[in-house]
Amino acid sequence: MSDHRFDKLLSEIRNEPVDDRVVAQAAERVRSSLAGSPTTEIGAYKLRNCADFQTLIPAYLDKNLAEARKLLFEDHLHQCVACRHAVEQARVGELQPIWRPIMASRRFPVWRWAMGAVAAMVVAATALALFNGAFPGQHAIRGAVQNVDGSLYAVVDDQVRVIPAGYQIRNGDEIRTAKGSNAVVRLLDGSLVEMAERSDLSVSREWKGTTIHLDGGHIIVQAAKQRTGRLYVATDDCLVSVKGTIFSVNRGTKGSRVAVIEGVVRVSSGEQTTDLHAGDEETSNSSLSKVPIQNEIAWSRNSARYLALLGDFAVLQKQFEAIPGPGLRYSSDLLPYVPDHTAVYAAVPNLAATLGEASQLFQDRLQQSPALRSWWKEQQRGKGPKLTDVIDQLKTFSSYLGDEIVFAVAKDGTTYSSPVVLARIRQAGLEDFLQGEMKRLNRDGNQGGLQIVRDPWAISPSPNRPFLVYVGKGVLVASPDVAELQHAVTRIQQSSASHFAETPLYQQVVRSYQQGAGWLFCADMEQIVAQNVHDESNKLPPGIGDVRYLMMERREVGGKTENRAALTFASERRGVASWLAAPASMGGLEFISPDASMVNSFVIKNPKSIVEEMFQIIGSGDSNFPQELAKFEAKTGVSVLNDITAPLGGEVTFAFDGPVLPTPRWKVVFEVYDPVTLQSTIDKLVESFNREATASDGALQLAQQQVGSQIYYTLHNSKQPAFEIDYTYVDSYLIAGPDISTLSRAIRDRQAGHSLTHSQTFQSLLPNDGYTNFSAIFYHNIGPVVGPLVDQIKAVGTLTPQQQQSIATLQANTAPGLIYVYGEPERIVVASNTGFMGFDLGTLMTMGQGGSFPPQLFLGAIMKHPGSTQ
């Protein structure tokens, strides 16, 4: 464009007549925007630095943040010490320091340095922005489509188009798989993302790492080892972070489900953060149940490989369980030396021989299995520690120690002391070994993690002091706190017992030893929760304040592993603690067949009284709750207490029972005392939903039909043809499932006595004790699930001979398990008789992850620093 034409265009723009009303409306919009509410403005902020995040603190503490922004805020808190301090200050009512620009002095040298610093920051910010594709018009490439089976669409600038394999995915591109289609995306770091049908995602990168934004659908991620930062998968209700692993994320209308095939995954949902290992699963919503992991991966083109890998893990797990553990200990000569006010006491056996044998089993299996060998080669890439090196270091270190290692943490008032670690020394040479480890660590660049102390009184206290280790009088003593080290060494040198022997917790510990101790963890919960009991701003739910002790024990008796945890209360259980009923008959289990893969069943006290207590708890924190409840009941014509909870009994059972393909066979069984009232309530709720439903919601249709003497009810949604819930009433139970055939089969199995509780598999898992019933059980047996999945994979011819062999071992070595619960008058006991010494393959694989394996990790240096408060 010539200068003359450009000037003419500017002149026309300046002289264009604008209606006064248009100008007034624009001014009013600007004024309204400037005067808008803080809550509205918060949602529009871009979170670029700590100052931006700290503006969200008031809304976060008031629980007014949107869920997605809350997840971003909490993820930032995990990484930023300054912002965590700011949140704590705001929580206790202290004034927060507000960031303000500091005016530089007019002196020329300072100005000169300031300009240089600004220039450096601009260059750094520009480089970072270029790397992340943050400039307008810049869309950095984040990955490429590797394979497409069916149709894959890209949504770019509101335009939808079909994309082929090889398409490069840029920052902000949204890609979707169509019905019956799947695709594989390779990210720049080498990670593979497998998309199931109807999945929708985009990819972005920031300084902390690469994020896969899953808006809906199901993906399996094979995360490559991350050189810097982490790989994240973000849904609107959870955040998954990894360094390198294989896992599945399934995002649907009810919530998200994360399942781990290999490695370790961290899942943050709401205020809860959980680390998941291989075989673990987590959901973001309590209404979304867990399912066998085999179900989650059945759709994948790599399902044969994953099943083969799980088969190898199953063999190893079974072999590990067969390793004889260390013998039981019936007393401890280290007990007198723990701190006076010990609130947490733990003792673990020396596992040198056990871990050595487990390592040899793993190496043998590695030679036999191509699938495991291929996976292991992937794990050995990079500079991280090798399993053999970790085991060798741990075996050498443990060979110097006695038969147990004791950890103790004291609490004086509201302050927890630093942990103290104690162990007898079995043979000479420990100090030389530790000196050699220190030199090796320093050579590897890990400075200051461990310090050997010959004279504890020659060391001055310091907040940054490394883990201190004293070796003398035949005892190893370790602690990050000088004072705690001095107290323990004094007791040992003078052969004097601490005042811990005068406490009730000591008596609990002694009783555990008298019964034979393997792994032992004891906590004085009365001390730990005392501050919450007396703090009105952090009040515990009714009944929880009565808790006294938490005892967790694991021992091997007669070749069988016993795991037991007991939560003891000061008096008879009340409030929330009493919701679990005493052991009682579970008639709902009679509707579950021996082929069930997962069963949860429990008995509770009167549901109506539980809901009444829940309403009281909710109402004490939300003054609007009674009004909202009244609105709901007036709108539906249903009383929650009298029409929903009063007809129910105290027994609930949920199970996956039967084939998983093409539709998982689930069952829910409720005990019902008044089926007439309950059915009337269901009719009213369906009518109320249809009155309020929009066209996009669809209408619910409740129909009934009689088959023989049995009446079945079917619930459909007009907008979701695949949605179906069927239920019927049998004796004093309501049974629900995905179709009528599932229900009729359950009724026939009950009449024929063909139920889970009568099967040999279930009977072999029952504990040898005096109880005739349970308060709750969790049963799992994935063996029946694997067969149909294998048949499906074989049908498409994707199994190699080696994979067929590995999957056959999975079917042969997948053992069932049972966790059971007893609700006693003054305590709750949870127990199980499966597992291997607290170790599984995930434990061995992740040992020392993120750096060399120093002995101080085994000593517990990762515990809290001195002076921390609760």
Side-chain angles (χ1 to χ4, degrees), residues 12 16 19 90 94-95 262 297 361 543 622 640 753 834:
E12 289 175 352
E16 181 182 2
D19 189 84
E94 295 182 12
L95 293 175
E262 176 273 315
I297 64 175
L361 288 172
D622 182 0
V640 174
T834 55

Side-chain angles (χ1 to χ4, degrees), residues 231-305:
L231 178 67
Y232 297 85
V233 176
T235 69
D236 61 356
D237 60 357
C238 76
L239 182 69
V240 184
S241 61
V242 297
K243 293 286 285 186
T245 182
I246 305 174
F247 63 100
S248 160
V249 182
N250 190 347
R251 171 59 184 153
T253 304
K254 291 174 61 178
S256 300
R257 182 189 291 116
V258 181
V260 182
I261 301 166
E262 176 273 315
V264 182
V265 166
R266 174 160 293 181
V267 181
S268 299
S269 179
E271 299 180 355
Q272 183 176 358
T273 299
T274 307
D275 286 340
L276 306 180
H277 296 76
D280 290 345
E281 198 174 304
E282 186 66 36
T283 60
S284 64
N285 192 324
S286 59
S287 65
L288 184 62
S289 63
K290 299 177 182 179
V291 300
I293 290 182
Q294 285 77 2
N295 294 17
E296 288 291 89
I297 64 175
W299 60 270
S300 169
R301 65 180 66 193
N302 292 316
S303 57
R305 175 193 169 200

Side-chain angles (χ1 to χ4, degrees), residues 566-820:
L567 194 62
T568 305
F569 298 84
S571 58
E572 186 170 344
R573 292 184 291 126
R574 64 181 184 88
V576 174
S578 70
W579 290 359
L580 182 72
S585 175
M586 296 178 176
L589 290 174
E590 297 298 317
F591 294 99
I592 310 302
S593 80
D595 296 328
S597 56
M598 187 176 71
V599 182
N600 291 288
S601 187
F602 53 91
V603 287
I604 58 176
K605 74 173 189 179
N606 189 333
K608 182 177 180 180
S609 62
I610 289 178
V611 174
E612 286 177 332
E613 292 181 19
M614 289 178 60
F615 284 175
Q616 291 175 3
I617 295 172
I618 298 172
S620 64
D622 182 0
S623 59
N624 294 325
F625 176 75
Q627 290 81 3
E628 295 298 325
L629 177 62
K631 288 181 182 178
F632 169 81
E633 294 185 338
K635 183 183 299 184
T636 60
V638 169
S639 167
V640 174
L641 293 177
N642 297 322
D643 297 335
I644 297 179
T645 61
L648 298 177
E651 182 190 341
V652 181
T653 299
F654 175 83
F656 282 99
D657 187 3
V660 297
L661 298 173
T663 303
R665 293 296 189 269
W666 56 269
K667 294 176 184 175
V668 178
V669 184
F670 291 99
E671 187 178 23
V672 179
Y673 292 154
D674 186 354
V676 175
T677 299
L678 183 61
Q679 185 55 44
S680 175
T681 300
I682 294 173
D683 292 337
K684 292 178 182 178
L685 291 174
V686 169
E687 292 174 4
S688 175
F689 177 88
N690 289 337
R691 286 196 302 268
E692 301 292 329
T694 63
S696 60
D697 294 331
L700 292 178
Q701 300 163 350
L702 182 61
Q704 70 178 63
Q705 60 176 301
Q706 185 166 340
V707 180
S709 60
Q710 193 70 39
I711 297 177
Y712 294 92
Y713 299 85
T714 301
L715 190 64
H716 283 288
N717 185 293
S718 59
K719 288 291 185 180
Q720 300 179 36
F723 174 84
E724 179 179 342
I725 296 177
D726 296 89
Y727 65 94
T728 187
Y729 299 94
V730 180
D731 295 338
S732 59
Y733 293 96
L734 179 152
I735 317 168
D739 50 51
I740 292 178
S741 64
T742 298
L743 304 182
S744 60
R745 188 180 302 110
I747 296 172
R748 291 197 303 270
D749 286 344
R750 179 179 184 244
Q751 293 170 343
H754 182 66
S755 64
L756 173 68
T757 55
H758 296 147
S759 69
Q760 182 60 39
T761 301
F762 185 84
Q763 289 289 323
S764 65
L765 297 173
L766 296 178
N768 184 16
D769 57 30
Y771 285 98
T772 57
N773 290 303
F774 302 101
S775 296
I777 66 165
F778 170 69
Y779 169 84
H780 61 88
N781 182 17
I782 66 171
V785 176
V786 177
L789 297 179
V790 174
D791 293 339
Q792 184 191 45
I793 296 171
K794 286 180 178 179
V796 295
T798 59
L799 287 175
T800 66
Q802 292 87 356
Q803 289 173 337
Q804 290 182 19
Q805 183 178 358
S806 295
I807 292 175
T809 60
L810 173 62
Q811 293 176 276
N813 292 278
T814 299
L818 178 68
I819 299 173
Y820 46 95

Side-chain angles (χ1 to χ4, degrees), residues 478-558:
S479 178
D481 183 71
V482 175
E484 290 297 334
L485 188 74
Q486 291 171 348
H487 294 327
V489 172
T490 298
R491 288 190 288 268
I492 292 169
Q493 291 180 345
Q494 297 178 359
S495 299
S496 60
S498 69
H499 294 293
F500 178 58
E502 303 168 8
T503 65
L505 180 62
Y506 174 85
Q507 300 300 326
Q508 296 284 330
V509 174
V510 169
R511 273 196 290 270
S512 293
Y513 274 111
Q514 290 172 345
Q515 296 171 3
W519 297 69
L520 180 62
F521 176 88
C522 310
D524 188 339
M525 301 302 294
E526 193 171 28
Q527 287 193 59
I528 293 173
V529 305
Q531 182 179 354
N532 292 1
V533 172
H534 300 295
D535 184 358
E536 290 296 327
S537 63
N538 193 23
K539 195 170 183 180
L540 296 170
I544 301 300
D546 297 338
V547 67
R548 293 201 68 182
Y549 305 111
L550 172 63
M551 309 292 292
M552 300 174 65
E553 302 171 84
R554 185 182 185 91
R555 58 171 64 91
E556 291 187 22
V557 180

Side-chain angles (χ1 to χ4, degrees), residues 565-569 573 577 580 821-824 826-830:
L567 194 62
T568 305
F569 298 84
R573 292 184 291 126
L580 182 72
V821 184
Y822 300 125
E824 298 179 355
E826 296 181 359
R827 67 174 187 165
I828 296 174
V829 178
V830 182

